[in-house]
Structures are given as structure tokens and as C-alpha cells.
Coordinates of all heavy atoms in Angstrom, one line a residue:
G17 N -5.9 0.2 -11.4 CA -7.0 1.0 -11.8 C -7.1 2.2 -10.9 O -6.2 2.8 -10.4
A18 N -8.3 2.6 -10.8 CA -8.7 3.9 -10.1 C -8.3 3.9 -8.6 O -7.8 4.9 -8.1 CB -10.1 4.2 -10.3
A19 N -8.4 2.7 -8.0 CA -8.1 2.6 -6.5 C -6.6 2.8 -6.3 O -6.2 3.5 -5.4 CB -8.6 1.3 -6.0
V20 N -5.8 2.2 -7.2 CA -4.4 2.4 -7.0 C -4.0 3.8 -7.3 O -3.2 4.4 -6.6 CB -3.6 1.4 -8.0 CG1 -2.1 1.7 -8.0 CG2 -3.9 0.0 -7.6
A21 N -4.6 4.4 -8.3 CA -4.2 5.8 -8.7 C -4.6 6.7 -7.5 O -3.9 7.7 -7.2 CB -5.0 6.2 -10.0
E22 N -5.8 6.5 -6.9 CA -6.2 7.4 -5.8 C -5.2 7.3 -4.6 O -4.9 8.3 -4.0 CB -7.6 7.0 -5.4 CG -8.1 7.8 -4.2 CD -9.5 7.5 -3.8 OE1 -10.3 7.1 -4.6 OE2 -9.8 7.6 -2.6
C23 N -4.8 6.0 -4.3 CA -3.9 5.8 -3.2 C -2.6 6.5 -3.5 O -2.0 7.1 -2.6 CB -3.7 4.3 -3.0 SG -2.7 4.0 -1.6
L24 N -2.0 6.3 -4.7 CA -0.7 6.9 -5.0 C -0.8 8.4 -5.1 O 0.2 9.0 -4.8 CB -0.2 6.3 -6.4 CG 0.1 4.8 -6.3 CD1 0.6 4.3 -7.7 CD2 1.0 4.4 -5.2
D25 N -1.9 9.0 -5.5 CA -2.0 10.4 -5.6 C -1.8 11.0 -4.2 O -1.1 12.1 -4.1 CB -3.4 10.8 -6.1 CG -3.6 10.7 -7.6 OD1 -2.5 10.5 -8.3 OD2 -4.7 10.8 -8.1
E26 N -2.3 10.4 -3.2 CA -2.1 11.0 -1.8 C -0.6 10.9 -1.3 O -0.2 11.6 -0.5 CB -3.0 10.3 -0.8 CG -2.6 9.0 -0.4 CD -3.5 8.3 0.7 OE1 -4.5 8.9 1.0 OE2 -3.1 7.2 1.1
L27 N 0.2 10.0 -1.9 CA 1.5 9.8 -1.5 C 2.5 10.6 -2.4 O 3.7 10.7 -2.0 CB 1.9 8.3 -1.6 CG 1.1 7.4 -0.7 CD1 1.5 5.9 -0.9 CD2 1.2 7.8 0.8
E28 N 2.1 11.0 -3.6 CA 3.0 11.6 -4.6 C 3.4 13.0 -4.1 O 2.6 13.8 -3.7 CB 2.3 11.7 -5.9 CG 3.2 12.2 -7.0 CD 2.5 12.2 -8.4 OE1 1.4 11.7 -8.5 OE2 3.1 12.7 -9.3
S29 N 4.7 13.3 -4.2 CA 5.3 14.6 -4.0 C 5.1 15.2 -2.6 O 5.0 16.4 -2.5 CB 4.9 15.6 -5.1 OG 5.2 15.1 -6.4
V30 N 5.0 14.3 -1.6 CA 4.9 14.8 -0.2 C 5.9 14.1 0.6 O 6.4 13.0 0.3 CB 3.5 14.5 0.4 CG1 2.4 15.3 -0.4 CG2 3.2 13.1 0.5
E31 N 6.3 14.7 1.7 CA 7.1 14.1 2.7 C 6.3 13.0 3.4 O 5.3 13.4 4.1 CB 7.7 15.1 3.7 CG 8.5 14.6 4.8 CD 9.7 13.7 4.4 OE1 10.4 14.2 3.5 OE2 9.9 12.7 5.0
L32 N 6.5 11.8 3.3 CA 5.7 10.7 3.8 C 5.5 10.8 5.3 O 4.5 10.6 5.9 CB 6.2 9.3 3.4 CG 6.2 9.0 1.9 CD1 6.7 7.6 1.7 CD2 4.8 9.1 1.4
G33 N 6.6 11.2 6.0 CA 6.5 11.4 7.5 C 5.5 12.5 7.9 O 5.1 12.5 9.1
S34 N 5.1 13.4 7.0 CA 4.2 14.4 7.4 C 2.7 14.0 7.3 O 1.8 14.7 7.7 CB 4.4 15.6 6.5 OG 4.0 15.4 5.2
L35 N 2.5 12.8 6.7 CA 1.1 12.3 6.5 C 0.6 11.6 7.8 O 1.4 10.9 8.5 CB 1.1 11.3 5.4 CG 1.5 11.8 4.0 CD1 1.5 10.7 3.0 CD2 0.5 12.9 3.6
E36 N -0.6 11.8 8.1 CA -1.3 11.3 9.3 C -1.1 9.8 9.4 O -0.9 9.2 10.5 CB -2.7 11.7 9.4 CG -3.5 11.3 10.6 CD -4.9 11.8 10.6 OE1 -5.2 12.8 10.0 OE2 -5.7 11.1 11.3
M37 N -1.2 9.1 8.3 CA -1.2 7.6 8.3 C 0.1 7.1 8.8 O 0.2 5.9 9.2 CB -1.5 7.1 6.9 CG -0.4 7.4 5.9 SD -1.0 7.4 4.2 CE -2.1 8.8 4.2
F38 N 1.2 7.9 8.8 CA 2.5 7.5 9.3 C 2.9 8.2 10.6 O 4.1 8.2 10.9 CB 3.6 7.7 8.2 CG 3.3 6.9 6.9 CD1 3.0 7.5 5.7 CD2 3.5 5.5 7.0 CE1 2.8 6.7 4.6 CE2 3.3 4.7 5.9 CZ 2.9 5.3 4.7
D39 N 1.9 8.7 11.3 CA 2.2 9.4 12.5 C 3.0 8.6 13.5 O 3.9 9.0 14.2 CB 0.9 9.9 13.2 CG 0.5 11.3 12.7 OD1 1.3 11.9 12.0 OD2 -0.6 11.7 13.1
H40 N 2.6 7.3 13.6 CA 3.1 6.4 14.6 C 4.0 5.3 14.1 O 4.2 4.3 14.8 CB 2.0 5.9 15.5 CG 1.2 6.9 16.1 ND1 1.7 7.8 17.1 CD2 -0.1 7.4 15.9 CE1 0.7 8.6 17.5 NE2 -0.3 8.4 16.7
E41 N 4.5 5.4 12.9 CA 5.4 4.4 12.3 C 6.4 5.0 11.4 O 6.1 6.1 10.8 CB 4.6 3.3 11.6 CG 3.7 3.8 10.5 CD 2.8 2.7 10.0 OE1 2.2 2.0 10.7 OE2 2.9 2.5 8.7
E42 N 7.5 4.4 11.2 CA 8.5 4.8 10.2 C 8.0 4.7 8.8 O 7.2 3.8 8.5 CB 9.8 4.1 10.4 CG 10.4 4.3 11.8 CD 11.7 3.6 11.9 OE1 12.5 3.6 11.0 OE2 11.9 2.9 13.0
T43 N 8.5 5.5 7.9 CA 8.1 5.4 6.5 C 9.0 4.5 5.7 O 9.6 4.9 4.7 CB 8.0 6.8 5.9 OG1 9.3 7.4 6.0 CG2 7.0 7.7 6.5
T44 N 9.2 3.3 6.2 CA 10.0 2.3 5.5 C 9.2 1.8 4.3 O 8.0 1.9 4.2 CB 10.3 1.1 6.4 OG1 9.0 0.5 6.8 CG2 11.0 1.5 7.7
V45 N 10.0 1.2 3.4 CA 9.3 0.7 2.2 C 8.3 -0.4 2.5 O 7.3 -0.5 1.9 CB 10.4 0.2 1.2 CG1 11.1 -1.0 1.6 CG2 9.8 0.0 -0.2
E46 N 8.6 -1.1 3.6 CA 7.6 -2.2 4.1 C 6.3 -1.5 4.6 O 5.2 -2.0 4.2 CB 8.3 -3.0 5.2 CG 9.4 -3.8 4.8 CD 10.8 -3.1 4.8 OE1 10.8 -1.9 5.2 OE2 11.8 -3.7 4.5
N47 N 6.4 -0.5 5.3 CA 5.2 0.2 5.8 C 4.4 0.9 4.7 O 3.2 0.9 4.8 CB 5.6 1.2 7.0 CG 6.0 0.5 8.2 OD1 5.6 -0.7 8.5 ND2 6.7 1.2 9.1
V48 N 5.1 1.4 3.8 CA 4.4 2.1 2.6 C 3.7 1.0 1.8 O 2.5 1.2 1.5 CB 5.4 2.8 1.7 CG1 4.8 3.3 0.5 CG2 6.0 4.0 2.5
A49 N 4.3 -0.2 1.6 CA 3.6 -1.2 0.9 C 2.4 -1.7 1.6 O 1.3 -1.9 1.1 CB 4.6 -2.4 0.6
E50 N 2.6 -1.9 2.9 CA 1.4 -2.3 3.8 C 0.3 -1.3 3.7 O -0.9 -1.6 3.6 CB 1.9 -2.5 5.2 CG 0.9 -3.1 6.1 CD 0.8 -4.6 6.1 OE1 1.8 -5.2 5.6 OE2 -0.2 -5.1 6.5
H51 N 0.6 0.0 3.8 CA -0.4 1.0 3.7 C -1.1 1.0 2.4 O -2.4 1.0 2.3 CB 0.2 2.4 3.9 CG -0.7 3.5 3.5 ND1 -1.8 3.9 4.3 CD2 -0.8 4.3 2.4 CE1 -2.5 4.8 3.7 NE2 -1.9 5.1 2.5
I52 N -0.4 0.9 1.3 CA -1.0 0.8 0.0 C -1.9 -0.4 -0.1 O -3.1 -0.3 -0.6 CB 0.1 0.9 -1.1 CG1 0.8 2.2 -1.1 CG2 -0.6 0.6 -2.5 CD1 2.0 2.3 -2.0
W53 N -1.5 -1.5 0.3 CA -2.3 -2.7 0.2 C -3.6 -2.5 0.9 O -4.7 -2.8 0.4 CB -1.6 -3.9 0.8 CG -2.3 -5.2 0.5 CD1 -1.9 -6.1 -0.5 CD2 -3.4 -5.8 1.2 NE1 -2.8 -7.2 -0.5 CE2 -3.7 -7.0 0.5 CE3 -4.2 -5.4 2.3 CZ2 -4.8 -7.8 0.9 CZ3 -5.2 -6.2 2.7 CH2 -5.5 -7.4 2.0
H54 N -3.6 -2.0 2.2 CA -4.8 -1.9 3.0 C -5.7 -0.8 2.4 O -6.9 -0.9 2.3 CB -4.5 -1.6 4.4 CG -4.0 -2.8 5.1 ND1 -4.9 -3.8 5.5 CD2 -2.8 -3.2 5.5 CE1 -4.2 -4.8 6.1 NE2 -2.9 -4.4 6.1
H55 N -5.1 0.3 1.9 CA -5.9 1.4 1.3 C -6.6 0.9 0.0 O -7.8 1.2 -0.1 CB -5.0 2.6 1.0 CG -5.8 3.8 0.7 ND1 -5.2 5.1 0.7 CD2 -7.0 4.0 0.2 CE1 -6.1 6.0 0.3 NE2 -7.2 5.4 0.0
V56 N -5.9 0.3 -0.8 CA -6.5 -0.2 -2.1 C -7.6 -1.2 -1.7 O -8.7 -1.2 -2.3 CB -5.4 -0.8 -3.0 CG1 -6.1 -1.5 -4.2 CG2 -4.5 0.4 -3.5
R57 N -7.3 -2.1 -0.8 CA -8.3 -3.1 -0.4 C -9.6 -2.4 0.1 O -10.7 -2.9 -0.2 CB -7.8 -4.0 0.7 CG -8.8 -5.0 1.3 CD -9.2 -6.0 0.2 NE -10.2 -6.9 0.7 CZ -11.5 -6.8 0.4 NH1 -11.9 -5.9 -0.4 NH2 -12.3 -7.7 0.9
E58 N -9.5 -1.3 0.8 CA -10.7 -0.6 1.2 C -11.5 0.0 0.1 O -12.7 0.2 0.2 CB -10.3 0.5 2.2 CG -9.8 0.0 3.6 CD -9.3 1.1 4.4 OE1 -9.4 2.3 4.1 OE2 -8.7 0.8 5.5
L59 N -10.8 0.4 -1.0 CA -11.4 1.1 -2.1 C -12.0 0.1 -3.2 O -12.8 0.6 -4.0 CB -10.4 2.0 -2.8 CG -9.8 3.1 -1.9 CD1 -8.7 3.8 -2.7 CD2 -11.0 4.1 -1.6
I60 N -11.6 -1.1 -3.2 CA -12.1 -2.0 -4.3 C -13.2 -2.9 -3.8 O -13.3 -3.2 -2.6 CB -10.9 -2.8 -4.9 CG1 -10.4 -3.8 -3.9 CG2 -9.9 -2.0 -5.5 CD1 -9.4 -4.9 -4.5
A61 N -14.0 -3.3 -4.7 CA -15.0 -4.3 -4.5 C -14.5 -5.5 -5.3 O -14.8 -5.7 -6.4 CB -16.4 -3.9 -5.0
A62 N -13.7 -6.3 -4.6 CA -13.1 -7.5 -5.2 C -14.1 -8.5 -5.6 O -14.9 -8.9 -4.8 CB -12.0 -8.1 -4.3
P63 N -14.1 -8.9 -6.9 CA -14.9 -10.0 -7.3 C -14.5 -11.3 -6.6 O -13.4 -11.5 -6.2 CB -14.7 -10.1 -8.8 CG -13.4 -9.5 -9.0 CD -13.2 -8.5 -7.9
P64 N -15.5 -12.2 -6.4 CA -15.2 -13.5 -5.6 C -14.0 -14.3 -6.2 O -13.4 -15.0 -5.4 CB -16.5 -14.3 -5.8 CG -17.5 -13.3 -6.2 CD -16.9 -12.2 -6.9
Q65 N -13.8 -14.2 -7.5 CA -12.7 -15.0 -8.1 C -11.4 -14.4 -7.8 O -10.3 -15.1 -8.0 CB -12.9 -15.3 -9.6 CG -12.9 -14.0 -10.4 CD -14.3 -13.4 -10.6 OE1 -15.2 -13.5 -9.7 NE2 -14.5 -12.7 -11.7
L66 N -11.3 -13.2 -7.3 CA -10.0 -12.6 -6.9 C -9.8 -12.9 -5.5 O -10.5 -12.5 -4.6 CB -10.1 -11.1 -7.1 CG -8.8 -10.3 -6.9 CD1 -7.7 -10.7 -7.9 CD2 -9.0 -8.8 -7.0
T67 N -8.8 -13.8 -5.2 CA -8.6 -14.3 -3.9 C -7.5 -13.6 -3.1 O -7.4 -13.7 -1.9 CB -8.4 -15.8 -3.9 OG1 -7.2 -16.1 -4.7 CG2 -9.6 -16.5 -4.5
S68 N -6.6 -13.0 -3.8 CA -5.5 -12.3 -3.1 C -5.0 -11.1 -3.9 O -5.4 -10.9 -5.1 CB -4.3 -13.3 -2.9 OG -3.7 -13.7 -4.1
M69 N -4.2 -10.3 -3.3 CA -3.6 -9.1 -4.0 C -2.2 -8.9 -3.5 O -1.9 -9.1 -2.3 CB -4.5 -7.9 -3.6 CG -4.0 -6.6 -4.2 SD -5.2 -5.2 -4.0 CE -5.0 -5.0 -2.2
R70 N -1.3 -8.5 -4.4 CA 0.0 -8.2 -4.1 C 0.4 -6.8 -4.4 O 0.0 -6.3 -5.5 CB 1.0 -9.2 -4.8 CG 2.5 -8.8 -4.6 CD 3.4 -9.7 -5.4 NE 3.3 -11.0 -5.0 CZ 3.5 -12.1 -5.8 NH1 3.8 -11.9 -7.0 NH2 3.3 -13.3 -5.4
V71 N 1.0 -6.1 -3.5 CA 1.5 -4.8 -3.7 C 3.0 -4.8 -3.6 O 3.5 -5.3 -2.5 CB 0.9 -3.7 -2.7 CG1 1.6 -2.4 -2.8 CG2 -0.6 -3.6 -3.0
T72 N 3.8 -4.3 -4.5 CA 5.2 -4.3 -4.4 C 5.6 -2.8 -4.6 O 5.2 -2.1 -5.5 CB 5.9 -5.1 -5.5 OG1 5.5 -6.5 -5.3 CG2 7.4 -5.1 -5.4
V73 N 6.4 -2.3 -3.7 CA 7.0 -1.0 -3.7 C 8.5 -1.0 -3.8 O 9.1 -1.7 -3.1 CB 6.6 -0.2 -2.4 CG1 7.2 1.2 -2.4 CG2 5.1 -0.1 -2.3
H74 N 9.0 -0.3 -4.8 CA 10.4 -0.3 -5.1 C 11.0 1.1 -4.6 O 10.5 2.1 -5.1 CB 10.8 -0.5 -6.5 CG 10.5 -1.8 -7.0 ND1 11.4 -2.8 -7.1 CD2 9.3 -2.4 -7.4 CE1 10.9 -3.9 -7.5 NE2 9.6 -3.7 -7.8
E75 N 11.9 1.1 -3.7 CA 12.6 2.3 -3.3 C 13.8 2.6 -4.2 O 14.1 3.7 -4.5 CB 13.0 2.2 -1.8 CG 13.6 3.5 -1.3 CD 13.9 3.3 0.2 OE1 13.5 2.3 0.8 OE2 14.5 4.2 0.8
S76 N 14.4 1.5 -4.6 CA 15.5 1.5 -5.5 C 15.6 0.1 -6.1 O 14.8 -0.8 -5.8 CB 16.8 1.8 -4.8 OG 17.2 0.8 -3.9
A77 N 16.6 -0.1 -6.9 CA 16.8 -1.5 -7.5 C 17.0 -2.5 -6.5 O 16.6 -3.7 -6.7 CB 17.9 -1.4 -8.5
D78 N 17.6 -2.2 -5.3 CA 17.9 -3.1 -4.3 C 17.0 -3.1 -3.1 O 17.1 -4.0 -2.3 CB 19.4 -2.9 -3.8 CG 20.4 -3.1 -4.9 OD1 20.2 -4.1 -5.8 OD2 21.4 -2.4 -5.0
A79 N 16.2 -2.1 -3.0 CA 15.4 -1.9 -1.8 C 13.9 -1.9 -2.2 O 13.4 -1.0 -2.9 CB 15.7 -0.6 -1.1
W80 N 13.2 -3.0 -1.8 CA 11.8 -3.1 -2.2 C 11.1 -4.0 -1.2 O 11.8 -4.7 -0.4 CB 11.6 -3.7 -3.6 CG 12.3 -5.0 -3.8 CD1 13.6 -5.3 -4.1 CD2 11.7 -6.3 -3.5 NE1 13.8 -6.6 -4.2 CE2 12.7 -7.3 -3.8 CE3 10.4 -6.7 -3.1 CZ2 12.4 -8.7 -3.7 CZ3 10.2 -8.1 -3.0 CH2 11.2 -9.0 -3.3
A81 N 9.8 -3.9 -1.2 CA 9.0 -4.8 -0.3 C 7.7 -5.1 -0.9 O 7.1 -4.3 -1.7 CB 8.7 -4.0 1.1
S82 N 7.2 -6.3 -0.7 CA 5.9 -6.8 -1.2 C 5.0 -7.2 0.0 O 5.5 -7.7 1.0 CB 6.1 -8.0 -2.1 OG 6.6 -7.6 -3.3
V83 N 3.7 -6.9 -0.2 CA 2.7 -7.4 0.7 C 1.8 -8.2 -0.2 O 1.2 -7.7 -1.2 CB 1.9 -6.3 1.3 CG1 0.8 -6.8 2.2 CG2 2.8 -5.4 2.2
D84 N 1.6 -9.5 0.1 CA 0.8 -10.4 -0.7 C -0.1 -11.1 0.3 O 0.3 -12.0 1.1 CB 1.7 -11.5 -1.4 CG 0.9 -12.3 -2.3 OD1 -0.3 -12.2 -2.4 OD2 1.6 -13.1 -3.0
Q85 N -1.4 -10.7 0.3 CA -2.4 -11.2 1.3 C -3.7 -11.6 0.7 O -4.0 -11.1 -0.4 CB -2.6 -10.2 2.4 CG -1.4 -9.8 3.2 CD -1.8 -8.8 4.3 OE1 -2.9 -8.5 4.6 NE2 -0.7 -8.2 4.9
S86 N -4.4 -12.5 1.4 CA -5.7 -12.9 1.0 C -6.7 -11.8 1.0 O -6.6 -11.0 1.9 CB -6.1 -14.1 1.8 OG -7.5 -14.4 1.5
L87 N -7.6 -11.8 0.1 CA -8.7 -10.8 0.1 C -10.0 -11.4 0.8 O -10.9 -10.7 1.0 CB -9.1 -10.4 -1.3 CG -8.0 -9.5 -2.0 CD1 -8.4 -9.4 -3.5 CD2 -7.8 -8.2 -1.3
Q88 N -9.9 -12.7 1.1 CA -11.0 -13.3 1.8 C -10.9 -13.2 3.3 O -9.9 -13.5 3.9 CB -11.0 -14.8 1.4 CG -10.9 -15.1 -0.1 CD -11.9 -14.4 -1.0 OE1 -13.1 -14.5 -0.6 NE2 -11.5 -13.8 -2.1
G89 N -12.0 -12.7 3.9 CA -12.0 -12.6 5.3 C -11.3 -11.5 5.9 O -10.8 -10.6 6.0

């Protein structure tokens, strides 16, 4: 939805290493997935029945990372 679109808009067509959120970490596919998960989590008001969220980022067919975490607590 809108939260994912907003998060992806800030990452589109930019050098990820130039973004403040990646000042102190490498722009690996794992770190990008982690960033997207946390950013979307901040933007959504998850209904109580939604207990977890998974974000998967594909760099290529062979290089990808997923973050699958609880939304509770």
C-alpha cells in the first residue's frame, strides 16, 4: 500500500550510500530489507489481527534477503 510506496520512493533512482539512513552501514541487500521493514512498520497502523510482516528485497535472481518479524511489541 501507501506505506510501501512511500518507503520505496525515497530509495528509487538514488545512490543508496548517499542516503543518511545508510551513513554508518553498508548498503547490502540485508540492510536495505531491514530498513524497509522498519520504515514501513513506522508508517502503518497494523490491525491487531496482523501479527507479523515480511519484507523481501531481490538484488538479482540469486541475491535476496528477507526480514520477517513480529509486529507485536
Side-chain angles (χ1 to χ4, degrees):
V20 173
E22 181 179 327
C23 183
L24 295 180
D25 281 348
E26 74 179 4
L27 301 176
E28 187 175 352
S29 301
V30 297
E31 173 60 43
L32 296 179
S34 69
L35 298 174
E36 184 178 332
M37 67 206 67
F38 294 113
D39 273 353
H40 303 291
E41 59 185 52
E42 295 183 43
T43 56
T44 63
V45 68
E46 294 85 0
N47 287 339
V48 172
E50 187 83 21
H51 167 74
I52 292 171
W53 192 97
H54 286 287
H55 190 162
V56 171
R57 174 65 183 105
E58 291 173 6
L59 295 174
I60 65 171
Q65 62 270 30
L66 185 62
T67 60
S68 66
M69 179 173 67
R70 177 183 297 149
V71 169
T72 302
V73 175
H74 292 265
E75 185 175 352
S76 69
D78 297 324
W80 57 272
S82 287
V83 176
D84 188 355
Q85 296 182 14
S86 171
L87 293 171
Q88 310 303 315

